[in-house]
Amino acid sequence: MINHAVMGVFDAFDTAQQARAALLADGFGADALELKVHDDEAGPVEGNFLVGNTPVESEEHVYERNYARPVQRGQCMLMVNAADAATAARASAILAGFGARDPDRLSGAPP
């Protein structure tokens, strides 16, 4: 029976995959790990994908320059189902080592 769940939020899928690999290497079973990627069809939550980098259209309007560097935020969630508090703490430390953010802290939920 699973008593504890730990979740980490990542901006980059590659980083989430690395954290998952580290958890597996540390002895966590694949059945205890769940990696979800949430992609928004509306586009990045931060960036310039609608208006571009330059306010004025011109012949010099180049797509790569004007729509560069959109940022996806919090797309990847890695959940670890742990059987006890010590295992959950171990998972939290591994996730933190890869820069995972706590979704409760992101939402402003009380601890």
Side-chain angles (χ1 to χ4, degrees), residues 2-95:
I2 297 168
N3 298 323
H4 300 273
V6 177
M7 184 176 291
V9 177
F10 297 89
D11 293 337
F13 180 69
D14 291 343
T15 308
Q17 278 188 311
Q18 291 170 3
R20 183 179 184 279
L23 288 161
L24 289 169
D26 195 69
F28 288 87
D31 60 332
L33 307 176
E34 186 176 352
L35 177 58
K36 291 187 176 185
V37 178
H38 299 279
D39 194 13
D40 186 353
E41 68 276 359
V45 296
E46 178 182 314
N48 50 11
F49 69 102
L50 289 177
V51 296
N53 291 329
T54 57
V56 178
E57 295 288 327
S58 70
E59 291 179 23
E60 297 176 22
H61 180 84
V62 178
Y63 182 86
E64 289 80 14
R65 182 190 75 225
N66 290 311
Y67 297 95
R69 298 179 306 281
V71 178
Q72 300 286 352
R73 293 275 186 227
Q75 277 191 297
C76 305
M77 292 186 292
L78 180 56
M79 186 165 63
V80 182
N81 294 314
D84 55 50
T87 305
R90 201 171 87 229
S92 291
I94 292 170
L95 292 174

